[in-house]
Amino acid sequence: MIARLLAACGLLAFAQGSWAADAISGAVERQPINVSAIVMFVAFVGATLFITYWASKKNNSTADHYAAGGKITGFQNGLAIAGDYMSAASFLGISALVYTSGYDGLIYSIGFLVGWPIILFLIAERLRNLGKYTFADVASYRLKQKEIRTLSASGSLVVVAFYLIAQMVGAGKLIQLLFGLDYHVAVILVGILMVLYVLFGGMLATTWVQIIKAVLLLSGASFMALMVMKTVNFDFGTLFSEAVKVHAKGQAIMSPGALVSDPVSAISLGLALMFGTAGLPHILMRFFTVSDAKEARKSVFYATGFIGYFYILTFIIGFGAILLVSTNPAFKDAAGALLGGNNMAAVHLANAVGGSLFLGFISAVAFATILAVVAGLTLAGASAVSHDIYASVIKGGKANEKDELRVSKITTIALGVLAIGLGILFEKQNIAFMVGLAFSIAASCNFPVLFLSMYWKNLTTRGAMVGGWLGLLTAVGLMILGPTVWVQVLGNAKAIFPYEYPALFSMVVAFAGIWFFSITDKSTSAGEERARFLPQFVRSQTGLGASGAAAH
Amino acid sequence: MNDSIYERIERSPRFKELVAKRERFAWILSAIMLGLYVAFILIIAFDPSLFGTPISEGSPTTWGIPAGIGLILSAFVLTGIYVYRANGEFDDLNQAILDEVKQ
């Protein structure tokens, strides 16, 4: 399947990605070398490597490596989760979407946010009470270890792979754009740094890199929004009316535009964003870094607050760019387009409100953001291989800690090499659809199995296997047959599957498949699996027997 | 943990109370969040001009702005409400159940 996708992508020329707001796509121009940005970035890398060194001395057991020993507080974890979510692509992409289409940018960001309350209400505490290091721990709790862990690990790795490619290519282009470094140098640099963080610092270093970056990004974005509001005397009415005056689309930027045109696509996109979040392995893993369900709940509360605040800031920043960047010829080329493309709207705004030093700061933060996100993804991918496939499937749960850690570290290096290779291979390709695909697969494979394993007594291994794989294959299949890949990537005239987002259909297939093949499963093992629901249910509710901070 | 403790908890009336209350609360809040979001998406899909209407005569701000910002704030407020009750009332009840079986 991956091979076919690679082949598919090889054929692509130019395409408008529907998920462009979360991936830097299209050709970019290399910018002149930006010295203050590089100095600040080097300072960030220095600080994070120091943290990695500090964390490496505490990184002795599997519990430390996968879950930072369960000693992260709810507030810290909230910042780290928000950090995982506030990728460079979402900062630059969503502000660019606001810059070009106004209100549509807000619609898009809301989709990303509303999954969080649902995760809190329905998933967070049960997940924390049942799991140890990966969400496969929870999904396979009362089912057959080998089958379910293989399924969950495959789901995790596919999601991580697509997400990682999108981030690596985005990273290379962004760095080329911001620092004037060569694309290949940038990709290799990102690959090496992310491996260093994960290899030596494990989850503890990865979490702290994420926290520092989240604080830097939130401070920088707050400053920009503040400066924008200062130019309009802190009056939103003036901000909007001035923006409408200078924007080519005029009044249209104040109402919903082309982002969601038909109800089916709209609902399908909403489902993918909402439930995809609840199936992203690097996000789910963060729930095991806190000591108990209480802290897990607090993390979601803080994360929702930070992410919501961040999206309001990007909305103001996008409008600020309409006002201060689009009217300034210094930021435009001869044809009147933004230098470096629309994704540069927020970066040019940084220059406009804070001068070249602040521009350097925002550029360095954008780079730091990518590093932090790819490190989290790499750790999640390596854990799926070492904890789920090696320790549970190959060694039947009898692997010793030292071997498991070694496998995790070897996988980390392998993922680093793979990420650099794919980053270079996909340089000229349109990768915008990959984030969408990652969310759709997470919503159609990981989420249904995880959710039903905690909520539905009658779930059996057979049902989870059939439904989970069906969901995964349907999501990938419909994405290939849909407009994004079939028309824009493969160059066919008309899409076989008419909708851009497959989640509505692939989630129905997954849930229906799991339901049907579970209720018709009359085997003895299915009966045992149903009987194990009771103790699982009590543990998920009360936390009795849950792995704690010390005795992870 | 042996199964008999789990069975004792399962039979405890307090446990039944905890599960019933917390589940109900979580589902109600989920329904509110989902309902608000689905309503938002359906308006965008079926009647986008509604969000393009100014909130008052001559105002540049359209109804879409308070609706969108309100949705972001409601996500934050709803999580706050849940955490407040779950980490207080529900966790106290949970602790009482665990103390009961440990005696």
Side-chain angles (χ1 to χ4, degrees):
Chain A
M1 187 49 68
I2 305 251
R4 201 186 308 164
L5 261 179
L6 286 174
C9 297
L11 295 171
L12 128 167
F14 281 104
Q16 286 287 313
S18 43
W19 290 77
D22 204 44
I24 311 288
S25 55
V28 296
E29 291 163 46
R30 190 164 157 184
Q31 301 293 301
I33 288 186
N34 180 337
V35 178
S36 61
I38 292 180
V39 170
M40 274 182 264
F41 177 70
V42 169
F44 173 83
V45 170
T48 51
L49 286 177
F50 179 77
I51 287 172
T52 307
Y53 171 72
W54 162 79
S56 71
K57 288 192 286 189
K58 303 177 167 223
N59 198 17
N60 303 317
S61 63
T62 45
D64 294 332
H65 186 73
Y66 295 130
K71 293 188 195 83
I72 304 292
T73 68
F75 181 75
Q76 292 165 347
N77 196 37
L79 265 175
I81 290 175
D84 267 326
Y85 229 55
M86 302 183 294
S87 60
S90 81
F91 173 55
L92 301 177
I94 292 179
S95 52
L97 190 58
V98 176
Y99 174 77
T100 52
S101 320
Y103 192 72
D104 277 358
L106 189 64
I107 302 175
Y108 198 80
S109 53
I110 287 172
F112 277 108
L113 184 72
V114 289
W116 282 105
I118 307 294
I119 291 181
L120 170 68
F121 305 148
L122 302 180
I123 292 180
E125 64 193 46
R126 294 187 186 214
L127 188 73
R128 178 64 195 85
N129 283 339
L130 292 172
K132 209 172 166 193
Y133 305 140
T134 64
F135 83 91
D137 291 338
V138 182
S140 67
Y141 192 86
R142 67 192 160 95
L143 304 179
K144 290 202 185 80
Q145 294 289 317
K146 283 190 181 174
E147 284 85 345
I148 299 299
R149 283 195 190 262
T150 309
L151 169 69
S152 302
S154 308
S156 297
L157 286 171
V158 174
V159 170
V160 165
F162 284 122
Y163 220 109
L164 203 55
I165 294 174
Q167 294 289 331
M168 289 303 278
V169 175
K173 291 190 176 166
L174 192 67
I175 291 161
Q176 202 175 1
L177 206 58
L178 298 178
F179 297 87
L181 286 180
D182 182 64
Y183 179 88
H184 296 92
V185 175
V187 167
I188 292 169
L189 194 64
V190 169
I192 291 175
L193 283 170
M194 81 181 187
V195 167
L196 287 179
Y197 295 147
V198 176
L199 199 58
F200 297 106
M203 185 51 117
L204 188 60
T206 306
T207 303
W208 276 103
V209 169
Q210 199 60 272
I211 292 173
I212 292 173
K213 160 240 145 158
V215 171
L216 290 176
L217 183 56
L218 284 169
S219 321
S222 299
F223 176 75
M224 281 166 76
L226 192 74
M227 295 306 280
V228 167
M229 291 314 287
K230 208 176 133 206
T231 62
V232 293
N233 294 317
F234 297 93
D235 178 36
F236 279 100
T238 318
L239 177 68
F240 297 142
S241 59
E242 293 297 312
V244 168
K245 264 185 227 160
V246 298
H247 201 284
K249 290 180 186 162
Q251 192 60 42
I253 59 169
M254 296 305 296
S255 57
L259 181 72
V260 271
S261 42
D262 69 293
V264 174
S265 292
I267 292 169
S268 206
L269 169 68
L271 284 176
L273 294 179
M274 209 162 189
F275 297 110
T277 306
L280 292 178
H282 63 296
I283 299 271
L284 293 172
M285 218 180 154
R286 292 224 165 272
F287 286 99
F288 306 119
T289 65
V290 293
S291 58
D292 52 23
K294 217 190 244 318
E295 294 297 316
R297 290 185 204 112
K298 279 192 210 162
S299 349
V300 186
F301 172 64
Y302 291 121
T304 311
F306 288 127
I307 297 168
Y309 173 65
F310 174 74
Y311 285 149
I312 293 176
L313 292 180
T314 41
F315 189 61
I316 297 173
I317 288 169
F319 269 90
I322 296 175
L323 229 57
L324 302 170
V325 175
S326 74
T327 53
N328 189 338
F331 299 124
K332 293 181 158 183
D333 61 18
L338 269 196
L339 287 176
N342 285 333
N343 279 322
M344 291 293 280
V347 176
H348 289 316
L349 182 68
N351 196 356
V353 300
S356 70
L357 199 66
F358 187 65
L359 169 74
F361 175 78
I362 286 294
S363 304
V365 168
F367 194 175
T369 293
I370 292 177
L371 277 181
V373 172
V374 292
L377 285 168
T378 307
L379 182 60
S383 310
V385 172
S386 60
H387 183 62
D388 297 326
I389 294 184
Y390 172 76
S392 304
V393 176
I394 297 176
K395 291 281 171 181
K398 293 184 189 71
N400 73 47
E401 252 187 54
K402 236 175 112 187
D403 288 340
E404 189 178 330
L405 271 180
R406 201 170 59 228
V407 172
S408 184
K409 293 189 169 179
I410 293 168
T411 314
T412 303
I413 296 173
L415 279 174
V417 174
L418 191 72
I420 293 172
L422 291 174
I424 290 170
L425 190 67
F426 279 82
E427 178 186 353
K428 303 264 186 274
Q429 318 301 333
N430 185 311
I431 38 78
F433 71 95
M434 285 190 184
V435 173
L437 190 55
F439 267 82
S440 298
I441 293 172
S444 318
C445 172
N446 302 356
F447 172 74
V449 173
L450 177 66
F451 181 78
L452 291 178
S453 75
M454 296 190 292
Y455 275 87
W456 192 42
K457 181 178 185 264
N458 288 323
L459 175 75
T460 70
T461 302
R462 190 178 85 168
M465 287 295 292
V466 177
W469 284 111
L470 274 178
L472 202 162
L473 296 176
T474 314
V476 175
L478 292 183
M479 197 83 188
I480 291 175
L481 297 178
T484 324
V485 176
W486 197 253
V487 178
Q488 291 169 14
V489 178
L490 295 175
N492 292 299
K494 202 172 176 311
I496 297 172
F497 174 72
Y499 304 107
E500 278 177 64
Y501 314 103
L504 178 60
F505 304 92
S506 51
M507 280 180 78
V508 169
V509 168
F511 275 102
I514 295 174
W515 171 78
F516 182 75
F517 288 97
S518 290
I519 55 156
T520 54
D521 189 354
K522 307 282 182 213
S523 60
T524 348
S525 65
E528 290 163 6
E529 284 162 0
R530 290 184 186 116
R532 283 198 289 268
F533 183 76
L534 173 76
Q536 179 198 321
F537 180 71
V538 173
R539 173 168 159 176
S540 75
Q541 291 287 344
T542 60
L544 185 67
S547 53
H552 234 341
Chain B
M1 284 311 139
N2 58 45
D3 282 0
S4 75
I5 292 183
Y6 288 126
E7 274 164 30
R8 260 162 57 211
I9 292 179
E10 213 264 333
R11 281 195 302 270
S12 140
R14 275 183 172 156
F15 178 72
K16 291 199 170 76
E17 184 195 340
L18 171 72
V19 171
K21 272 189 180 170
R22 192 162 58 191
E23 299 279 271
R24 201 168 142 250
F25 192 51
W27 283 109
I28 289 173
L29 292 182
S30 303
I32 295 174
M33 189 73 251
L34 272 172
L36 288 173
Y37 181 59
V38 169
F40 180 73
I41 287 293
L42 289 181
I43 289 176
I44 290 166
F46 287 108
D47 190 9
S49 59
L50 190 67
F51 279 162
T53 320
I55 48 171
S56 63
E57 193 65 40
S59 164
T61 311
T62 51
W63 276 111
I65 305 292
I69 304 293
L71 206 52
I72 292 180
L73 292 179
S74 66
F76 181 62
V77 171
L78 288 176
T79 54
I81 293 172
Y82 182 79
V83 172
Y84 177 78
R85 202 166 166 210
N87 279 8
E89 184 192 335
F90 296 151
D91 270 1
D92 292 345
L93 192 58
N94 193 16
Q95 196 54 49
I97 295 166
L98 293 178
D99 290 345
E100 202 176 78
V101 289
K102 275 179 187 144
Q103 277 164 12

